[in-house]
Amino acid sequence: MSDLKGTAVVTGATGGVGALYAAGLAERGYDLLLVGRQQSSLDAVAKAVKQKANVKVDILVANLADTADLARVEARISNDPAITALINNAGAATFGPLARLSAEAIDETIAVNITALTGLTRAVLPGFLARGAGAIVNIASVLAFHPWPEFGVYNASKAYVVSFSQAVQGEVAGKGVLVQVVTPPAVDTGFWNSAGLPVANLPAGAVMKPQHLVDAALKGLDRGESWVFPSLPEQAIWEDHQKTRQALVGGLMNGALAARYVA
Ligand SMILES: NC(=O)c1ccc[n+]([C@@H]2O[C@H](COP(=O)([O-])OP(=O)(O)OC[C@H]3O[C@@H](n4cnc5c(N)ncnc54)[C@H](OP(=O)(O)O)[C@@H]3O)[C@@H](O)[C@H]2O)c1
């Protein structure tokens, strides 16, 4: 058990990226609080982690799309000074044309990817700010920047993660708290089957190994990076995108009517 690192909360820790985060954080000496819907899967991840690292692993079974369960997780993490990191990894998605998506599928994506991520961030933030330390890692997606048809709710939920996180980064600047955004490309996990579009449908060269993603993300965490783009060849592409965005905002934040709309 580590007194130095404290406890990292990992949501969606039943498998995929979340389970790899759990293993990598434990290797770094973090105790863990694993959050997920399935006790048996969380138990298996906890057992595997403890075989490799001498850390404490707690489990919290919760459906993050359920309001009462989310409130229970928020209450659990909001007043625990041992918690030093929150990995908002849980994600839900359903692929298909909007006209055919069920209300339940839409609601679940928004509840997990937006409402839960926001509520959990809000839950840990006061403690992190009071202690002047802590890391919140929000898992976005390249689809945040790519409005791919038939995945609109998911893409938009991840665009929310980017915008929300960037705004909170502005709030915590200089206060010792890291709000990190990790932006994976397509990754070979159960995600695609769960979403209804098996990964075999994606171009092979576009799919990253989950271990590569998590290795890069944890390297980014070790370095205190605010933005981790594991597949982007040059970080300068993101910096250029920010300059373009700022130019757009500068142009838009203007009370004068643009000349082309003047009769
Ligand atoms: N795989 C990709 O290509 C890809 C690309 C970009 C971003 N991402 C993001 O990466 C993160 C991890 O995804 P992954 O690839 O590891 O997919 P995954 O294997 O499907 O894992 C998703 C995790 O989220 C959990 N989850 C879903 N709905 C939940 C709910 N209502 N309550 C609690 N937990 C819930 C799942 O739990 P259950 O086991 O109970 O279903 C699972 O543990 C997600 O945020 C995803 O959006 C993935």
Side-chain angles (χ1 to χ4, degrees):
M1 180 161 101
S2 163
D3 292 330
L4 292 174
K5 292 282 190 177
T7 300
V9 180
V10 183
T11 69
T14 54
V17 171
L20 294 173
Y21 252 108
L25 289 163
E27 257 174 46
R28 283 163 170 75
Y30 283 93
D31 293 328
L32 298 172
L33 175 60
L34 305 180
V35 182
R37 288 186 290 196
Q38 301 160 45
Q39 173 94 48
S40 57
S41 306
L42 293 173
D43 284 343
V45 171
K47 190 174 165 199
V49 163
K50 282 195 280 193
Q51 276 167 357
K52 290 199 163 174
N54 182 25
V55 298
K56 188 166 162 269
V57 185
D58 287 333
I59 280 170
L60 191 50
V61 176
N63 175 358
L64 294 174
D66 179 272
T67 309
D69 274 14
L70 175 60
R72 191 161 49 79
V73 181
E74 287 172 4
R76 167 70 182 80
I77 67 177
S78 62
N79 290 315
D80 183 348
I83 291 173
T84 52
L86 165 66
I87 316 298
N88 272 315
N89 165 74
T94 303
F95 192 81
L98 185 63
R100 293 215 298 268
L101 276 193
S102 70
E104 290 76 15
I106 293 170
D107 288 350
E108 192 195 22
T109 297
I110 293 171
V112 177
N113 301 6
I114 296 181
T115 309
L117 177 138
T118 307
L120 297 177
T121 299
R122 164 67 182 83
V124 296
L125 198 52
F128 285 6
L129 287 171
R131 295 189 286 280
I136 298 166
V137 177
N138 290 335
I139 308 297
S141 165
V142 295
L143 296 179
F145 305 103
H146 178 44
W148 188 18
E150 304 200 13
F151 224 11
V153 179
Y154 178 77
N155 307 329
S157 74
K158 294 300 188 177
Y160 174 93
V161 173
V162 169
S163 178
F164 168 73
S165 303
Q166 194 160 16
V168 182
Q169 284 173 350
E171 293 183 30
V172 304
K175 296 178 181 168
V177 177
L178 175 70
V179 176
Q180 180 185 77
V181 183
V182 176
T183 303
V187 180
D188 191 3
T189 65
F191 172 87
W192 294 98
N193 267 343
S194 305
L197 182 75
V199 75
N201 290 283
L202 305 179
V207 181
M208 182 175 274
K209 290 189 172 76
Q211 189 65 61
H212 287 171
L213 164 69
V214 175
D215 286 348
L218 287 171
K219 235 172 230 164
L221 187 62
D222 294 341
R223 295 174 185 160
E225 292 176 359
S226 299
W227 297 93
V228 179
F229 298 98
S231 53
L232 192 66
E234 300 293 339
Q235 196 80 0
I237 297 175
W238 167 247
E239 283 146 23
D240 288 346
H241 177 69
Q242 289 307 293
K243 283 182 199 146
T244 307
R245 182 185 61 73
Q246 278 154 5
L248 175 68
V249 171
L252 290 168
M253 280 199 176
N254 179 357
L257 194 58
R260 68 189 175 284
Y261 296 114
V262 178

